[in-house]
Amino acid sequence: FEEYFNTKTKNIIDTIVYSLSDKSTRRFIWAEICFLHLWWKQADSEMRERLRRLVVETKQLELVTGGWVMTDEANTYYTAMIEQMIEGHDWIRANVDEWTQPSHGWSIDPFGYSPTMAYLLKRMNFRGMVIQRVHYHLKSYLNSERSFEFIWRQSWSTALNENSDIFCHVMPYDHYDVVREK
């Protein structure tokens, strides 16, 4: 984890801060707070303030999901999902801005999705979510129907209880490539 941060992630975050600061039309999103935490510990006060400005003032850097990590949704108990979200959101409030709260979920690389995560995001007042890694048959079907966006309703929801519905966008890529008509 720390080696990956030192060889890859630290440079990415440094580049984000410099690039966004240099050009106001640029935008970027960041999801995993554990890496931002390591960067923050090593950054000087000027870099921290630049990042804070990009999130709070110019809104060029959007923190999405804001969990400590991108949770594994396939085999995780819901309390673990909640705890890592609390840890990430607490870190954001303590270090970046006490009023900053992510409003969109970003879950592009877990091995399986859970209706629990969609439900939890909605209950945390998220407005929508983006997912990526779905079975290729489903992605092909969504592509043919031009339905990469939908309202995710939990199977336990009823017409009278729609507070678990959340807007969902499936990225139209096959992992890191575009979907091609077959």
Side-chain angles (χ1 to χ4, degrees), residues 35-80:
F35 289 120
L36 200 56
H37 165 74
L38 287 179
W39 179 87
W40 194 268
K41 285 177 23 179
Q42 295 179 8
D44 62 27
S45 59
E46 179 189 343
M47 286 295 279
R48 288 179 182 180
E49 187 53 37
R50 281 177 139 191
L51 184 131
R52 190 179 285 118
R53 256 192 320 274
L54 292 168
V55 172
V56 179
E57 294 174 22
T58 68
K59 304 206 183 303
Q60 291 172 259
L61 178 59
E62 181 182 356
L63 301 177
V64 291
T65 308
W68 194 249
V69 296
M70 188 178 300
T71 190
D72 177 12
E73 298 178 36
N75 294 315
T76 305
Y77 196 61
Y78 74 94
T79 56

mmCIF file of all heavy atoms in Angstrom, residues 35-80:
data_model
loop_
_atom_site.group_PDB
_atom_site.id
_atom_site.type_symbol
_atom_site.label_atom_id
_atom_site.label_comp_id
_atom_site.label_asym_id
_atom_site.label_seq_id
_atom_site.Cartn_x
_atom_site.Cartn_y
_atom_site.Cartn_z
ATOM 1 N N PHE A 35 -5.427 7.248 0.481
ATOM 2 C CA PHE A 35 -4.298 7.784 -0.270
ATOM 3 C C PHE A 35 -4.165 9.301 -0.079
ATOM 4 O O PHE A 35 -3.066 9.829 0.024
ATOM 5 C CB PHE A 35 -4.418 7.456 -1.760
ATOM 6 C CG PHE A 35 -4.193 6.015 -2.079
ATOM 7 C CD1 PHE A 35 -5.181 5.267 -2.682
ATOM 8 C CD2 PHE A 35 -2.984 5.403 -1.786
ATOM 9 C CE1 PHE A 35 -4.968 3.934 -2.989
ATOM 10 C CE2 PHE A 35 -2.757 4.068 -2.090
ATOM 11 C CZ PHE A 35 -3.761 3.326 -2.697
ATOM 12 N N LEU A 36 -5.295 9.975 -0.022
ATOM 13 C CA LEU A 36 -5.265 11.419 0.207
ATOM 14 C C LEU A 36 -4.682 11.714 1.587
ATOM 15 O O LEU A 36 -3.933 12.673 1.772
ATOM 16 C CB LEU A 36 -6.678 11.995 0.073
ATOM 17 C CG LEU A 36 -6.800 13.475 -0.187
ATOM 18 C CD1 LEU A 36 -6.040 13.901 -1.431
ATOM 19 C CD2 LEU A 36 -8.259 13.861 -0.310
ATOM 20 N N HIS A 37 -4.991 10.875 2.551
ATOM 21 C CA HIS A 37 -4.453 11.005 3.910
ATOM 22 C C HIS A 37 -2.920 10.903 3.908
ATOM 23 O O HIS A 37 -2.237 11.725 4.536
ATOM 24 C CB HIS A 37 -5.073 9.929 4.811
ATOM 25 C CG HIS A 37 -4.368 9.733 6.102
ATOM 26 N ND1 HIS A 37 -4.442 10.623 7.145
ATOM 27 C CD2 HIS A 37 -3.564 8.728 6.528
ATOM 28 C CE1 HIS A 37 -3.710 10.186 8.152
ATOM 29 N NE2 HIS A 37 -3.173 9.026 7.796
ATOM 30 N N LEU A 38 -2.375 9.897 3.216
ATOM 31 C CA LEU A 38 -0.915 9.763 3.148
ATOM 32 C C LEU A 38 -0.287 10.969 2.456
ATOM 33 O O LEU A 38 0.765 11.468 2.878
ATOM 34 C CB LEU A 38 -0.525 8.477 2.418
ATOM 35 C CG LEU A 38 -0.747 7.166 3.157
ATOM 36 C CD1 LEU A 38 -0.324 5.989 2.288
ATOM 37 C CD2 LEU A 38 -0.002 7.139 4.479
ATOM 38 N N TRP A 39 -0.914 11.427 1.383
ATOM 39 C CA TRP A 39 -0.401 12.610 0.676
ATOM 40 C C TRP A 39 -0.405 13.822 1.604
ATOM 41 O O TRP A 39 0.558 14.578 1.664
ATOM 42 C CB TRP A 39 -1.253 12.874 -0.565
ATOM 43 C CG TRP A 39 -0.823 14.078 -1.341
ATOM 44 C CD1 TRP A 39 0.124 14.135 -2.314
ATOM 45 C CD2 TRP A 39 -1.320 15.409 -1.190
ATOM 46 N NE1 TRP A 39 0.253 15.424 -2.785
ATOM 47 C CE2 TRP A 39 -0.629 16.228 -2.102
ATOM 48 C CE3 TRP A 39 -2.279 15.998 -0.366
ATOM 49 C CZ2 TRP A 39 -0.858 17.589 -2.218
ATOM 50 C CZ3 TRP A 39 -2.516 17.367 -0.482
ATOM 51 C CH2 TRP A 39 -1.810 18.142 -1.395
ATOM 52 N N TRP A 40 -1.505 14.009 2.322
ATOM 53 C CA TRP A 40 -1.683 15.147 3.225
ATOM 54 C C TRP A 40 -0.593 15.181 4.289
ATOM 55 O O TRP A 40 -0.070 16.241 4.625
ATOM 56 C CB TRP A 40 -3.061 15.039 3.873
ATOM 57 C CG TRP A 40 -3.527 16.268 4.568
ATOM 58 C CD1 TRP A 40 -3.357 16.579 5.888
ATOM 59 C CD2 TRP A 40 -4.275 17.348 4.012
ATOM 60 N NE1 TRP A 40 -3.948 17.772 6.181
ATOM 61 C CE2 TRP A 40 -4.526 18.268 5.038
ATOM 62 C CE3 TRP A 40 -4.754 17.621 2.744
ATOM 63 C CZ2 TRP A 40 -5.241 19.443 4.846
ATOM 64 C CZ3 TRP A 40 -5.473 18.791 2.543
ATOM 65 C CH2 TRP A 40 -5.705 19.686 3.586
ATOM 66 N N LYS A 41 -0.235 14.007 4.817
ATOM 67 C CA LYS A 41 0.800 13.927 5.852
ATOM 68 C C LYS A 41 2.153 14.391 5.328
ATOM 69 O O LYS A 41 2.952 14.940 6.091
ATOM 70 C CB LYS A 41 0.923 12.490 6.386
ATOM 71 C CG LYS A 41 -0.210 12.104 7.301
ATOM 72 C CD LYS A 41 -0.193 10.675 7.819
ATOM 73 C CE LYS A 41 1.095 9.955 7.854
ATOM 74 N NZ LYS A 41 1.006 8.590 8.404
ATOM 75 N N GLN A 42 2.420 14.187 4.038
ATOM 76 C CA GLN A 42 3.709 14.553 3.458
ATOM 77 C C GLN A 42 3.711 15.946 2.818
ATOM 78 O O GLN A 42 4.773 16.512 2.592
ATOM 79 C CB GLN A 42 4.121 13.530 2.397
ATOM 80 C CG GLN A 42 4.369 12.154 2.949
ATOM 81 C CD GLN A 42 4.745 11.162 1.857
ATOM 82 O OE1 GLN A 42 4.966 11.528 0.703
ATOM 83 N NE2 GLN A 42 4.831 9.896 2.224
ATOM 84 N N ALA A 43 2.539 16.477 2.526
ATOM 85 C CA ALA A 43 2.441 17.760 1.811
ATOM 86 C C ALA A 43 2.752 18.921 2.741
ATOM 87 O O ALA A 43 2.450 18.885 3.940
ATOM 88 C CB ALA A 43 1.044 17.924 1.218
ATOM 89 N N ASP A 44 3.325 19.970 2.168
ATOM 90 C CA ASP A 44 3.548 21.174 2.960
ATOM 91 C C ASP A 44 2.244 21.975 3.050
ATOM 92 O O ASP A 44 1.259 21.669 2.370
ATOM 93 C CB ASP A 44 4.703 22.007 2.408
ATOM 94 C CG ASP A 44 4.478 22.530 1.005
ATOM 95 O OD1 ASP A 44 3.314 22.724 0.591
ATOM 96 O OD2 ASP A 44 5.484 22.751 0.290
ATOM 97 N N SER A 45 2.239 23.009 3.856
ATOM 98 C CA SER A 45 1.007 23.771 4.095
ATOM 99 C C SER A 45 0.494 24.446 2.820
ATOM 100 O O SER A 45 -0.714 24.584 2.634
ATOM 101 C CB SER A 45 1.209 24.804 5.209
ATOM 102 O OG SER A 45 2.243 25.695 4.863
ATOM 103 N N GLU A 46 1.395 24.867 1.917
ATOM 104 C CA GLU A 46 0.956 25.492 0.667
ATOM 105 C C GLU A 46 0.193 24.485 -0.212
ATOM 106 O O GLU A 46 -0.852 24.813 -0.764
ATOM 107 C CB GLU A 46 2.144 26.049 -0.113
ATOM 108 C CG GLU A 46 1.727 26.679 -1.425
ATOM 109 C CD GLU A 46 2.904 27.045 -2.324
ATOM 110 O OE1 GLU A 46 4.048 27.116 -1.833
ATOM 111 O OE2 GLU A 46 2.654 27.242 -3.527
ATOM 112 N N MET A 47 0.724 23.277 -0.339
ATOM 113 C CA MET A 47 0.041 22.260 -1.154
ATOM 114 C C MET A 47 -1.301 21.868 -0.526
ATOM 115 O O MET A 47 -2.286 21.676 -1.233
ATOM 116 C CB MET A 47 0.933 21.028 -1.325
ATOM 117 C CG MET A 47 2.085 21.247 -2.287
ATOM 118 S SD MET A 47 1.538 21.537 -3.997
ATOM 119 C CE MET A 47 1.255 19.865 -4.538
ATOM 120 N N ARG A 48 -1.330 21.750 0.784
ATOM 121 C CA ARG A 48 -2.601 21.434 1.459
ATOM 122 C C ARG A 48 -3.636 22.513 1.181
ATOM 123 O O ARG A 48 -4.785 22.221 0.905
ATOM 124 C CB ARG A 48 -2.381 21.312 2.965
ATOM 125 C CG ARG A 48 -1.642 20.102 3.394
ATOM 126 C CD ARG A 48 -1.479 20.130 4.889
ATOM 127 N NE ARG A 48 -0.725 18.982 5.361
ATOM 128 C CZ ARG A 48 -0.448 18.766 6.629
ATOM 129 N NH1 ARG A 48 -0.857 19.616 7.554
ATOM 130 N NH2 ARG A 48 0.239 17.707 6.979
ATOM 131 N N GLU A 49 -3.209 23.766 1.264
ATOM 132 C CA GLU A 49 -4.146 24.872 1.024
ATOM 133 C C GLU A 49 -4.600 24.899 -0.428
ATOM 134 O O GLU A 49 -5.768 25.180 -0.706
ATOM 135 C CB GLU A 49 -3.510 26.205 1.424
ATOM 136 C CG GLU A 49 -4.461 27.384 1.368
ATOM 137 C CD GLU A 49 -5.760 27.170 2.151
ATOM 138 O OE1 GLU A 49 -5.731 26.540 3.223
ATOM 139 O OE2 GLU A 49 -6.820 27.637 1.665
ATOM 140 N N ARG A 50 -3.711 24.601 -1.350
ATOM 141 C CA ARG A 50 -4.102 24.532 -2.761
ATOM 142 C C ARG A 50 -5.175 23.461 -2.956
ATOM 143 O O ARG A 50 -6.168 23.685 -3.645
ATOM 144 C CB ARG A 50 -2.896 24.203 -3.643
ATOM 145 C CG ARG A 50 -2.003 25.352 -3.922
ATOM 146 C CD ARG A 50 -0.823 24.880 -4.739
ATOM 147 N NE ARG A 50 -0.526 25.864 -5.761
ATOM 148 C CZ ARG A 50 0.296 25.663 -6.763
ATOM 149 N NH1 ARG A 50 0.899 24.494 -6.907
ATOM 150 N NH2 ARG A 50 0.529 26.605 -7.644
ATOM 151 N N LEU A 51 -4.950 22.275 -2.379
ATOM 152 C CA LEU A 51 -5.930 21.203 -2.510
ATOM 153 C C LEU A 51 -7.259 21.614 -1.874
ATOM 154 O O LEU A 51 -8.320 21.412 -2.452
ATOM 155 C CB LEU A 51 -5.424 19.908 -1.868
ATOM 156 C CG LEU A 51 -6.373 18.733 -2.068
ATOM 157 C CD1 LEU A 51 -5.629 17.518 -2.565
ATOM 158 C CD2 LEU A 51 -7.120 18.407 -0.802
ATOM 159 N N ARG A 52 -7.193 22.209 -0.708
ATOM 160 C CA ARG A 52 -8.411 22.660 -0.026
ATOM 161 C C ARG A 52 -9.188 23.644 -0.897
ATOM 162 O O ARG A 52 -10.404 23.539 -1.030
ATOM 163 C CB ARG A 52 -8.040 23.298 1.309
ATOM 164 C CG ARG A 52 -9.236 23.589 2.198
ATOM 165 C CD ARG A 52 -8.843 24.205 3.534
ATOM 166 N NE ARG A 52 -8.269 23.202 4.414
ATOM 167 C CZ ARG A 52 -7.018 23.232 4.887
ATOM 168 N NH1 ARG A 52 -6.201 24.220 4.565
ATOM 169 N NH2 ARG A 52 -6.574 22.295 5.684
ATOM 170 N N ARG A 53 -8.485 24.589 -1.519
ATOM 171 C CA ARG A 53 -9.137 25.564 -2.404
ATOM 172 C C ARG A 53 -9.795 24.875 -3.600
ATOM 173 O O ARG A 53 -10.893 25.230 -4.011
ATOM 174 C CB ARG A 53 -8.121 26.591 -2.911
ATOM 175 C CG ARG A 53 -8.219 27.938 -2.248
ATOM 176 C CD ARG A 53 -7.427 29.023 -2.949
ATOM 177 N NE ARG A 53 -6.121 28.668 -3.463
ATOM 178 C CZ ARG A 53 -4.987 28.702 -2.756
ATOM 179 N NH1 ARG A 53 -5.009 29.076 -1.502
ATOM 180 N NH2 ARG A 53 -3.848 28.374 -3.310
ATOM 181 N N LEU A 54 -9.105 23.880 -4.160
ATOM 182 C CA LEU A 54 -9.643 23.159 -5.321
ATOM 183 C C LEU A 54 -10.922 22.408 -4.982
ATOM 184 O O LEU A 54 -11.819 22.286 -5.812
ATOM 185 C CB LEU A 54 -8.595 22.184 -5.872
ATOM 186 C CG LEU A 54 -7.368 22.821 -6.516
ATOM 187 C CD1 LEU A 54 -6.284 21.779 -6.742
ATOM 188 C CD2 LEU A 54 -7.744 23.517 -7.811
ATOM 189 N N VAL A 55 -11.022 21.927 -3.752
ATOM 190 C CA VAL A 55 -12.229 21.199 -3.327
ATOM 191 C C VAL A 55 -13.330 22.168 -2.916
ATOM 192 O O VAL A 55 -14.474 22.058 -3.356
ATOM 193 C CB VAL A 55 -11.910 20.231 -2.155
ATOM 194 C CG1 VAL A 55 -13.188 19.616 -1.593
ATOM 195 C CG2 VAL A 55 -10.945 19.149 -2.597
ATOM 196 N N VAL A 56 -13.000 23.130 -2.079
ATOM 197 C CA VAL A 56 -14.011 23.977 -1.439
ATOM 198 C C VAL A 56 -14.392 25.198 -2.276
ATOM 199 O O VAL A 56 -15.575 25.480 -2.446
ATOM 200 C CB VAL A 56 -13.524 24.434 -0.040
ATOM 201 C CG1 VAL A 56 -14.534 25.342 0.632
ATOM 202 C CG2 VAL A 56 -13.213 23.227 0.831
ATOM 203 N N GLU A 57 -13.430 25.919 -2.802
ATOM 204 C CA GLU A 57 -13.712 27.180 -3.474
ATOM 205 C C GLU A 57 -13.984 27.018 -4.967
ATOM 206 O O GLU A 57 -15.053 27.396 -5.443
ATOM 207 C CB GLU A 57 -12.554 28.168 -3.240
ATOM 208 C CG GLU A 57 -12.428 28.586 -1.783
ATOM 209 C CD GLU A 57 -11.200 29.438 -1.535
ATOM 210 O OE1 GLU A 57 -10.677 30.057 -2.496
ATOM 211 O OE2 GLU A 57 -10.752 29.484 -0.369
ATOM 212 N N THR A 58 -13.028 26.492 -5.696
ATOM 213 C CA THR A 58 -13.202 26.401 -7.150
ATOM 214 C C THR A 58 -13.997 25.170 -7.570
ATOM 215 O O THR A 58 -14.488 25.112 -8.687
ATOM 216 C CB THR A 58 -11.839 26.380 -7.883
ATOM 217 O OG1 THR A 58 -11.172 25.149 -7.588
ATOM 218 C CG2 THR A 58 -10.988 27.567 -7.480
ATOM 219 N N LYS A 59 -14.065 24.181 -6.685
ATOM 220 C CA LYS A 59 -14.793 22.924 -6.939
ATOM 221 C C LYS A 59 -14.277 22.191 -8.172
ATOM 222 O O LYS A 59 -14.989 21.452 -8.821
ATOM 223 C CB LYS A 59 -16.288 23.163 -7.027
ATOM 224 C CG LYS A 59 -16.833 23.844 -5.780
ATOM 225 C CD LYS A 59 -18.271 23.559 -5.549
ATOM 226 C CE LYS A 59 -18.829 24.285 -4.350
ATOM 227 N NZ LYS A 59 -18.187 24.072 -3.099
ATOM 228 N N GLN A 60 -12.992 22.384 -8.476
ATOM 229 C CA GLN A 60 -12.377 21.668 -9.589
ATOM 230 C C GLN A 60 -12.037 20.232 -9.215
ATOM 231 O O GLN A 60 -11.936 19.378 -10.069
ATOM 232 C CB GLN A 60 -11.097 22.384 -10.027
ATOM 233 C CG GLN A 60 -11.325 23.716 -10.688
ATOM 234 C CD GLN A 60 -10.017 24.421 -10.896
ATOM 235 O OE1 GLN A 60 -9.662 25.311 -10.148
ATOM 236 N NE2 GLN A 60 -9.285 24.012 -11.927
ATOM 237 N N LEU A 61 -11.842 19.993 -7.939
ATOM 238 C CA LEU A 61 -11.551 18.648 -7.449
ATOM 239 C C LEU A 61 -12.743 18.194 -6.620
ATOM 240 O O LEU A 61 -13.059 18.790 -5.598
ATOM 241 C CB LEU A 61 -10.277 18.632 -6.606
ATOM 242 C CG LEU A 61 -9.889 17.289 -5.991
ATOM 243 C CD1 LEU A 61 -9.684 16.226 -7.068
ATOM 244 C CD2 LEU A 61 -8.619 17.448 -5.147
ATOM 245 N N GLU A 62 -13.411 17.169 -7.106
ATOM 246 C CA GLU A 62 -14.583 16.636 -6.397
ATOM 247 C C GLU A 62 -14.200 15.344 -5.700
ATOM 248 O O GLU A 62 -13.625 14.441 -6.310
ATOM 249 C CB GLU A 62 -15.724 16.365 -7.375
ATOM 250 C CG GLU A 62 -16.961 15.827 -6.691
ATOM 251 C CD GLU A 62 -18.086 15.506 -7.649
ATOM 252 O OE1 GLU A 62 -17.954 15.765 -8.864
ATOM 253 O OE2 GLU A 62 -19.106 14.978 -7.171
ATOM 254 N N LEU A 63 -14.507 15.274 -4.430
ATOM 255 C CA LEU A 63 -14.299 14.037 -3.680
ATOM 256 C C LEU A 63 -15.561 13.199 -3.838
ATOM 257 O O LEU A 63 -16.645 13.625 -3.446
ATOM 258 C CB LEU A 63 -14.019 14.348 -2.208
ATOM 259 C CG LEU A 63 -12.788 15.229 -1.968
ATOM 260 C CD1 LEU A 63 -12.636 15.549 -0.495
ATOM 261 C CD2 LEU A 63 -11.529 14.588 -2.541
ATOM 262 N N VAL A 64 -15.417 12.040 -4.459
ATOM 263 C CA VAL A 64 -16.555 11.159 -4.713
ATOM 264 C C VAL A 64 -16.498 9.969 -3.757
ATOM 265 O O VAL A 64 -15.425 9.500 -3.414
ATOM 266 C CB VAL A 64 -16.608 10.696 -6.188
ATOM 267 C CG1 VAL A 64 -16.956 11.858 -7.104
ATOM 268 C CG2 VAL A 64 -15.304 10.056 -6.623
ATOM 269 N N THR A 65 -17.629 9.524 -3.336
ATOM 270 C CA THR A 65 -17.835 8.505 -2.310
ATOM 271 C C THR A 65 -17.209 8.942 -0.993
ATOM 272 O O THR A 65 -17.891 9.071 -0.007
ATOM 273 C CB THR A 65 -17.334 7.111 -2.726
ATOM 274 O OG1 THR A 65 -17.878 6.771 -3.992
ATOM 275 C CG2 THR A 65 -17.766 6.061 -1.709
ATOM 276 N N GLY A 66 -15.924 9.181 -0.977
ATOM 277 C CA GLY A 66 -15.276 9.692 0.225
ATOM 278 C C GLY A 66 -15.015 8.653 1.287
ATOM 279 O O GLY A 66 -14.713 8.992 2.427
ATOM 280 N N GLY A 67 -15.109 7.381 0.925
ATOM 281 C CA GLY A 67 -14.783 6.344 1.886
ATOM 282 C C GLY A 67 -13.279 6.228 2.062
ATOM 283 O O GLY A 67 -12.501 6.715 1.245
ATOM 284 N N TRP A 68 -12.874 5.598 3.139
ATOM 285 C CA TRP A 68 -11.450 5.384 3.363
ATOM 286 C C TRP A 68 -10.865 4.599 2.194
ATOM 287 O O TRP A 68 -9.770 4.860 1.746
ATOM 288 C CB TRP A 68 -11.244 4.668 4.689
ATOM 289 C CG TRP A 68 -9.828 4.716 5.154
ATOM 290 C CD1 TRP A 68 -8.963 3.672 5.235
ATOM 291 C CD2 TRP A 68 -9.102 5.869 5.589
ATOM 292 N NE1 TRP A 68 -7.741 4.097 5.683
ATOM 293 C CE2 TRP A 68 -7.797 5.456 5.922
ATOM 294 C CE3 TRP A 68 -9.431 7.216 5.729
ATOM 295 C CZ2 TRP A 68 -6.824 6.327 6.374
ATOM 296 C CZ3 TRP A 68 -8.464 8.090 6.196
ATOM 297 C CH2 TRP A 68 -7.181 7.644 6.507
ATOM 298 N N VAL A 69 -11.644 3.626 1.703
ATOM 299 C CA VAL A 69 -11.267 2.827 0.538
ATOM 300 C C VAL A 69 -12.497 2.668 -0.350
ATOM 301 O O VAL A 69 -13.604 3.014 0.045
ATOM 302 C CB VAL A 69 -10.740 1.419 0.938
ATOM 303 C CG1 VAL A 69 -9.468 1.521 1.740
ATOM 304 C CG2 VAL A 69 -11.801 0.643 1.685
ATOM 305 N N MET A 70 -12.301 2.114 -1.543
ATOM 306 C CA MET A 70 -13.432 1.711 -2.376
ATOM 307 C C MET A 70 -13.805 0.320 -1.883
ATOM 308 O O MET A 70 -13.124 -0.657 -2.178
ATOM 309 C CB MET A 70 -13.042 1.690 -3.853
ATOM 310 C CG MET A 70 -14.216 1.458 -4.777
ATOM 311 S SD MET A 70 -13.745 1.489 -6.529
ATOM 312 C CE MET A 70 -13.078 3.143 -6.695
ATOM 313 N N THR A 71 -14.868 0.252 -1.126
ATOM 314 C CA THR A 71 -15.205 -0.972 -0.423
ATOM 315 C C THR A 71 -15.491 -2.145 -1.349
ATOM 316 O O THR A 71 -16.023 -1.962 -2.432
ATOM 317 C CB THR A 71 -16.400 -0.726 0.526
ATOM 318 O OG1 THR A 71 -16.577 -1.845 1.364
ATOM 319 C CG2 THR A 71 -17.677 -0.477 -0.242
ATOM 320 N N ASP A 72 -15.121 -3.326 -0.897
ATOM 321 C CA ASP A 72 -15.510 -4.540 -1.592
ATOM 322 C C ASP A 72 -16.980 -4.754 -1.268
ATOM 323 O O ASP A 72 -17.363 -4.806 -0.105
ATOM 324 C CB ASP A 72 -14.673 -5.723 -1.098
ATOM 325 C CG ASP A 72 -15.084 -7.040 -1.723
ATOM 326 O OD1 ASP A 72 -15.859 -7.030 -2.701
ATOM 327 O OD2 ASP A 72 -14.633 -8.079 -1.227
ATOM 328 N N GLU A 73 -17.803 -4.845 -2.267
ATOM 329 C CA GLU A 73 -19.240 -4.969 -2.033
ATOM 330 C C GLU A 73 -19.724 -6.411 -2.063
ATOM 331 O O GLU A 73 -20.824 -6.708 -1.633
ATOM 332 C CB GLU A 73 -20.001 -4.145 -3.071
ATOM 333 C CG GLU A 73 -19.683 -2.670 -2.992
ATOM 334 C CD GLU A 73 -20.397 -1.865 -4.048
ATOM 335 O OE1 GLU A 73 -21.546 -2.186 -4.385
ATOM 336 O OE2 GLU A 73 -19.793 -0.893 -4.541
ATOM 337 N N ALA A 74 -18.910 -7.313 -2.580
ATOM 338 C CA ALA A 74 -19.373 -8.685 -2.784
ATOM 339 C C ALA A 74 -19.417 -9.499 -1.493
ATOM 340 O O ALA A 74 -20.335 -10.288 -1.295
ATOM 341 C CB ALA A 74 -18.492 -9.391 -3.809
ATOM 342 N N ASN A 75 -18.444 -9.329 -0.624
ATOM 343 C CA ASN A 75 -18.349 -10.180 0.567
ATOM 344 C C ASN A 75 -18.227 -9.394 1.862
ATOM 345 O O ASN A 75 -17.668 -9.885 2.825
ATOM 346 C CB ASN A 75 -17.135 -11.111 0.437
ATOM 347 C CG ASN A 75 -17.307 -12.091 -0.685
ATOM 348 O OD1 ASN A 75 -18.365 -12.685 -0.833
ATOM 349 N ND2 ASN A 75 -16.271 -12.251 -1.476
ATOM 350 N N THR A 76 -18.709 -8.202 1.879
ATOM 351 C CA THR A 76 -18.527 -7.333 3.032
ATOM 352 C C THR A 76 -19.829 -7.161 3.792
ATOM 353 O O THR A 76 -20.879 -6.943 3.205
ATOM 354 C CB THR A 76 -18.016 -5.950 2.572
ATOM 355 O OG1 THR A 76 -16.848 -6.144 1.804
ATOM 356 C CG2 THR A 76 -17.711 -5.055 3.739
ATOM 357 N N TYR A 77 -19.731 -7.218 5.097
ATOM 358 C CA TYR A 77 -20.886 -6.979 5.935
ATOM 359 C C TYR A 77 -21.152 -5.476 5.984
ATOM 360 O O TYR A 77 -20.218 -4.676 5.943
ATOM 361 C CB TYR A 77 -20.638 -7.542 7.335
ATOM 362 C CG TYR A 77 -21.884 -7.697 8.154
ATOM 363 C CD1 TYR A 77 -22.917 -8.530 7.739
ATOM 364 C CD2 TYR A 77 -22.036 -7.000 9.336
ATOM 365 C CE1 TYR A 77 -24.067 -8.667 8.483
ATOM 366 C CE2 TYR A 77 -23.188 -7.133 10.094
ATOM 367 C CZ TYR A 77 -24.197 -7.969 9.661
ATOM 368 O OH TYR A 77 -25.335 -8.094 10.403
ATOM 369 N N TYR A 78 -22.407 -5.089 6.075
ATOM 370 C CA TYR A 78 -22.757 -3.674 5.935
ATOM 371 C C TYR A 78 -22.092 -2.777 6.965
ATOM 372 O O TYR A 78 -21.802 -1.618 6.691
ATOM 373 C CB TYR A 78 -24.277 -3.484 5.929
ATOM 374 C CG TYR A 78 -24.940 -3.647 7.265
ATOM 375 C CD1 TYR A 78 -25.180 -2.551 8.069
ATOM 376 C CD2 TYR A 78 -25.330 -4.897 7.735
ATOM 377 C CE1 TYR A 78 -25.793 -2.678 9.298
ATOM 378 C CE2 TYR A 78 -25.948 -5.041 8.951
ATOM 379 C CZ TYR A 78 -26.168 -3.939 9.747
ATOM 380 O OH TYR A 78 -26.765 -4.082 10.955
ATOM 381 N N THR A 79 -21.809 -3.289 8.170
ATOM 382 C CA THR A 79 -21.173 -2.419 9.177
ATOM 383 C C THR A 79 -19.765 -2.008 8.731
ATOM 384 O O THR A 79 -19.338 -0.882 8.993
ATOM 385 C CB THR A 79 -21.116 -3.092 10.556
ATOM 386 O OG1 THR A 79 -20.444 -4.350 10.442
ATOM 387 C CG2 THR A 79 -22.505 -3.294 11.128
ATOM 388 N N ALA A 80 -19.051 -2.895 8.036
ATOM 389 C CA ALA A 80 -17.726 -2.542 7.527
ATOM 390 C C ALA A 80 -17.840 -1.461 6.452
ATOM 391 O O ALA A 80 -17.000 -0.554 6.382
ATOM 392 C CB ALA A 80 -17.021 -3.779 6.971
#
